[in-house]
Amino acid sequence: MYVLIDKASKTVISTSANLPPQTRIPGRNDVVFSASPGDDIGPDHILIQATLIDPAFDPATEVKTGPAFVVADDFSVTERYTVRAKTAQELAEEEKEADDGELRQSERASTRLLIETVDHLIASSAMSPADLSPVVRADYQRLRTIVDRRRNDP
């Protein structure tokens, strides 16, 4: 990462993933072409290539934040990412989202399972369609028809 720094305040003015072909001098209508890391950009700024600190992390249990740019007295710059453990609340929220997604994706399989279970209960005389309330019986018959049409689908 290439970083343009204000020399007086040692603050980052702008960043660029690639060495820019031209760098605008802040506060002036002028540019510096083909600047290299370490070059002064006008009287008050310098272009530096940052040193990257990007630790590995496990996205299942950790969160990576950043980057934060740290400018030293010699104008060296560190682009730093930090890693922290996920909180119990973050882990619980992710688990709930995953569970909700799995339930949404398994609706088709759940419907088949329920229809086949009711079919088995009816076939074994453990119950009859008359044992169901009129609303549930209508839902069962409607879903039964759909399951029959889709029986060979994966």
Side-chain angles (χ1 to χ4, degrees):
M1 181 72 61
Y2 295 92
V3 183
L4 183 63
I5 298 174
D6 180 295
K7 289 182 188 178
S9 64
K10 294 191 175 110
T11 56
V12 174
I13 303 299
S14 64
T15 62
S16 176
N18 300 310
L19 187 61
Q22 63 185 33
T23 304
R24 183 165 304 283
I25 300 172
R28 302 174 76 184
N29 285 332
D30 203 358
V31 295
V32 173
F33 292 93
S34 302
S36 296
D39 285 355
D40 286 334
I41 306 297
D44 303 320
H45 300 85
I46 188 169
L47 183 67
I48 299 292
Q49 185 169 8
T51 300
L52 177 63
I53 298 176
D54 190 5
F57 79 110
D58 179 359
T61 59
E62 298 174 315
V63 176
K64 185 190 311 190
T65 57
F69 292 95
V70 179
V71 181
D73 288 340
D74 65 354
F75 299 114
S76 62
V77 178
T78 303
E79 176 185 7
R80 180 181 302 267
Y81 290 82
T82 57
V83 174
R84 66 167 176 80
K86 288 183 180 177
T87 64
Q89 181 177 353
E90 288 170 325
L91 291 168
E93 287 172 1
E94 286 181 359
E95 183 179 49
K96 181 184 180 305
E97 288 174 18
D99 289 348
D100 289 347
E102 182 65 31
L103 287 173
R104 279 191 296 278
Q105 290 180 1
S106 67
E107 287 175 357
R108 185 176 184 175
S110 299
T111 301
R112 283 183 184 171
L113 174 66
L114 291 172
I115 293 298
E116 289 186 15
T117 301
V118 171
D119 286 349
H120 175 74
L121 291 171
I122 291 171
S124 66
S125 300
M127 67 178 287
S128 75
D131 293 333
L132 303 172
S133 70
V135 171
V136 172
R137 186 170 45 248
D139 285 343
Y140 165 73
Q141 290 169 341
R142 178 178 54 82
L143 292 172
R144 179 83 179 82
T145 301
I146 294 169
V147 167
D148 283 344
R149 277 196 311 257
R150 300 289 197 185
R151 186 159 304 277
N152 295 325
D153 289 356

